[in-house]
């Protein structure tokens, strides 16, 4: 009697599981959303001409709450719920191409990986955050800090000019002046990656790729010297003493074809990108039936 009761419970349980799997299969079959596999090879040019280059200060890309960072376990789990996942290295299609690039004395591969995602419109798609290359220590400071200080210093000078007659108002602004002429804080920017930014792949009528990446490189001299009269001498002394990381940007929007290798580049940074349609594996109903039958036979034989 107990054996029959156990068999009955097992059949009910497996039937419930089978119904759940079938429901999952039907849900996947009814989902019209296309899915894609995006593979990138990101590399830098190590033989950049050493002629004097005027580098304007460019800020780093911003990272919002919707951005997927595959280096963070919590972000990976959240990404799975949105059908974003990392592709195993053994399944990468551009492995041979990446090896050829790495063998060249002119280039250095910074990262090579792929992920899968649904094809969504730009307003719905989630950006994927890229972190690659070396990691700078706290002896370096980001150009972002310099940009903030330059803007703040200029803003304070404008306030001083407007309120030069009103001594009392100038005294009220004095704390702000002290704050904005503070030496660059190096410790706050430790751990900056050589390459950082985001990539978005959207689908409307065509596939569209949006990149906003920066390659950080230590500057050898002060490349940007704004002509600001009346600046605090200590302000520029702090800039000269800091080992500042300039941002070299790769920001593009490109329409692409699937299953075609595309190339994006700047003087400093290049990227190969391959987008391939991907079908989500589905569990057939016959597999579910076989599972039910096998489970029942095992219980009966016991």
């Amino acid at each position: 009697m107990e054996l029959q009761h156990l068999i009955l419970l097992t059949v009910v349980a497996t039937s419930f599981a089978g119904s759940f799997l079938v429901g999952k299969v039907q849900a996947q079959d009814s989902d019209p959303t296309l899915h894609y596999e995006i593979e990138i090879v990101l590399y830098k040019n190590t033989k950049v001409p050493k002629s004097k280059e005027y580098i304007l200060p460019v800020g780093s890309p911003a990272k919002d709450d919707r951005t997927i960072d595959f280096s963070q376990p919590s972000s990976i789990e959240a990404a799975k719920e949105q059908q974003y996942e990392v592709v195993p290295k053994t399944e990468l299609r551009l492995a041979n191409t990446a090896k050829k690039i790495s063998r060249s004395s002119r280039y250095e591969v910074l990262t090579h990986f792929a992920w899968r995602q649904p094809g969504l419109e730009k307003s719905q798609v989630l950006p994927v955050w890229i972190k690659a290359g070396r990691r700078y220590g706290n002896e370096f400071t980001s150009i972002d800090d310099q940009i903030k200080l330059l803007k703040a210093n200029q803003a304070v000078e404008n306030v001083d000019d407007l309120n030069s007659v009103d001594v009392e108002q100038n005294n009220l602004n004095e704390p702000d002046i002290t704050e904005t002429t503070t030496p660059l804080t190096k410790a706050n920017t430790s751990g900056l990656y050589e390459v950082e930014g985001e990539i978005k792949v959207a689908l409307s009528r065509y596939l569209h790729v949006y990149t906003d990446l920066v390659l950080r490189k230590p500057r050898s001299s002060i490349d940007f010297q704004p002509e600001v009269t009346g600046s605090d001498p200590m302000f520029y002394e702090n800039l000269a003493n800091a080992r500042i990381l300039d941002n070299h940007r790769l920001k593009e929007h490109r329409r692409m074809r699937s299953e075609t290798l595309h190339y994006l580049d700047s003087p400093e940074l290049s990227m190969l990108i391959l987008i391939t349609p991907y079908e989500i594996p589905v569990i057939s109903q016959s597999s579910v039936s076989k599972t039910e039958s096998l489970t029942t036979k095992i219980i009966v034989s016991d």
Side-chain angles (χ1 to χ4, degrees):
M1 185 68 179
E2 292 181 358
L3 179 59
Q4 293 177 348
H5 184 62
L6 181 59
I7 294 173
L8 179 61
L9 289 177
T10 303
V11 171
V12 172
T14 52
S15 299
F16 177 78
S19 301
F20 173 78
L21 291 172
V22 171
K24 185 177 181 180
V25 172
Q26 291 174 347
Q28 290 176 345
D29 289 341
S30 62
D31 184 5
T33 304
L34 298 174
H35 290 77
Y36 294 92
E37 186 173 294
I38 297 94
E39 184 172 351
I40 66 167
V41 179
L42 193 64
Y43 57 99
K44 68 177 180 180
N45 185 357
T46 58
K47 303 288 185 180
V48 177
K50 296 183 179 179
S51 58
K52 181 64 179 177
E53 183 182 1
Y54 185 78
I55 301 174
L56 290 173
V58 176
S60 299
K63 184 178 181 182
D64 60 35
D65 296 335
R66 297 175 65 248
T67 305
I68 295 174
D69 186 347
F70 286 118
S71 67
Q72 302 294 329
S74 58
S75 184
I76 293 174
E77 291 302 318
K80 287 181 180 179
E81 297 179 1
Q82 303 295 326
Q83 296 183 314
Y84 285 70
E85 62 176 354
V86 178
V87 176
K89 290 184 178 181
T90 55
E91 299 180 24
L92 296 178
R93 303 166 187 263
L94 300 178
N96 291 333
T97 302
K99 286 180 181 178
K100 290 179 181 179
I101 295 173
S102 62
R103 292 193 192 106
S104 171
S105 60
R106 183 170 181 175
Y107 303 110
E108 179 184 336
V109 175
L110 299 169
T111 187
H112 174 207
F113 79 103
W115 71 93
R116 297 178 181 125
Q117 67 167 74
L120 302 172
E121 295 183 359
K122 185 182 178 183
S123 60
Q124 299 175 318
V125 74
L126 302 181
V128 173
W129 195 254
I130 306 296
K131 294 189 290 190
R134 66 174 289 191
R135 197 169 183 179
Y136 291 102
N138 57 10
E139 68 272 20
F140 293 93
T141 186
S142 172
I143 186 68
D144 300 340
D145 293 339
Q146 183 188 18
I147 293 172
K148 291 176 183 177
L149 286 173
L150 287 169
K151 290 181 178 179
N153 194 59
Q154 181 64 61
V156 169
E157 288 175 356
N158 292 340
V159 171
D160 287 345
D161 291 339
L162 291 172
N163 301 313
S164 58
V165 180
D166 191 344
V167 177
E168 183 177 351
Q169 184 65 34
N170 282 339
N171 290 335
L172 291 175
N173 291 330
E174 186 174 354
D176 294 333
I177 296 174
T178 303
E179 181 180 353
T180 54
T181 55
T182 302
L184 291 172
T185 305
K186 300 178 185 179
N188 292 340
T189 55
S190 62
L192 288 171
Y193 283 86
E194 188 173 6
V195 171
E196 202 158 1
E198 69 175 26
I199 298 177
K200 287 191 289 189
V201 179
L203 177 66
S204 52
R205 186 175 179 182
Y206 300 95
L207 286 165
H208 295 262
V209 173
Y210 303 83
T211 66
D212 190 0
L213 303 167
V214 291
L215 172 69
R216 297 185 174 108
K217 291 181 63 176
R219 66 167 57 172
S220 57
S221 62
I222 297 297
D223 299 295
F224 177 67
Q225 282 285 8
E227 296 181 1
V228 181
T229 58
S231 297
D232 186 347
M234 288 295 295
F235 176 73
Y236 288 106
E237 184 178 343
N238 293 327
L239 294 183
N241 292 333
R243 300 193 63 184
I244 297 173
L245 296 171
D246 279 319
N247 288 334
H248 301 262
R249 180 172 250 171
L250 176 58
K251 186 174 184 178
E252 286 198 39
H253 164 216
R254 186 81 62 86
R255 193 177 75 180
M256 296 190 174
R257 292 180 179 273
S258 63
E259 300 183 284
T260 302
L261 186 62
H262 292 268
Y263 174 71
L264 306 176
D265 77 322
S266 69
E268 305 277 347
L269 190 63
S270 302
M271 183 173 70
L272 296 176
I273 180 166
L274 177 65
I275 304 176
T276 309
Y278 173 74
E279 292 186 6
I280 299 177
V282 295
I283 303 172
S284 63
Q285 189 167 359
S286 59
S287 298
V288 175
S289 301
K290 289 180 181 178
T291 303
E292 293 177 1
S293 176
L294 179 61
T295 306
T296 304
K297 286 180 180 178
I298 292 173
I299 297 298
V300 171
S301 62
D302 288 343

